[in-house]
């Protein structure tokens, strides 16, 4: 699992998966960054992150798993984020939206 880390002055940690993939949603940068990530915390949708840039220095200065830098959709401060390892199995960042499952009783 991967956590999300703010790489601005203050640190904000959210959890999710790595950007490592080779599918059609990647940029072709050395880190194979996803163009966007849908983030789910404890199996519930939280936020969408959009790729801003690729920066190898992030891995040296923070605990990021790759050099992919993201901004959160709707963030008025345009903070930057990256993803790091997480022990929580219910947190996930993916390049595909997961439809919520409805749990209702049928009469």
């Amino acid at each position: 699992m991967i956590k999300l880390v703010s790489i601005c002055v203050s640190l904000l940690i959210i959890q999710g998966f790595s950007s490592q993939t080779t599918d059609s949603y990647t940029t072709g940068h050395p880190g194979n960054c996803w163009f966007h990530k849908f983030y789910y915390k404890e199996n519930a949708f939280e936020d969408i992150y959009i790729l801003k840039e690729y920066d190898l220095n992030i891995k040296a200065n923070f605990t990021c798993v790759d050099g992919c830098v993201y901004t959160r959709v709707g963030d008025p401060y345009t903070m930057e984020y990256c993803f790091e390892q997480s022990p929580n199995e219910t947190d996930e960042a993916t390049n595909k939206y997961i439809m919520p499952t409805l749990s209702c009783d049928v009469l």
Side-chain angles (χ1 to χ4, degrees):
M1 297 300 161
I2 306 297
K3 289 183 186 177
L4 180 68
V5 177
S6 169
I7 53 179
C8 287
V9 176
S10 63
L11 287 179
L12 168 68
I13 297 178
I14 302 176
Q15 301 172 359
F17 279 113
S18 167
S19 296
Q20 302 299 326
T21 184
T22 56
D23 63 26
S24 61
Y25 295 98
T26 62
T27 61
H29 287 292
N32 284 329
C33 304
W34 291 345
F35 285 114
H36 60 272
K37 287 190 178 192
F38 296 96
Y39 173 67
Y40 299 84
K41 183 170 180 70
E42 297 179 7
N43 295 322
F45 176 75
E46 282 280 321
D47 283 303
I48 300 172
Y49 294 86
I50 305 297
L51 180 67
K52 179 179 180 185
E53 64 186 354
Y54 181 77
D55 182 356
L56 282 175
N57 294 324
I58 290 172
K59 289 175 74 172
N61 298 327
F62 296 92
T63 56
C64 305
V65 295
D66 54 27
C68 304
V69 180
Y70 293 87
T71 57
R72 185 175 53 161
V73 172
D75 184 351
Y77 304 107
T78 319
M79 292 180 70
E80 297 177 333
Y81 301 87
C82 69
F83 290 84
E84 67 180 7
Q85 282 299 116
S86 169
N88 193 338
E89 295 290 328
T90 62
D91 296 343
E92 179 178 8
T94 179
N95 60 353
K96 298 175 184 164
Y97 181 74
I98 301 170
M99 292 295 292
T101 55
L102 299 176
S103 58
C104 56
D105 296 329
V106 178
L107 298 177

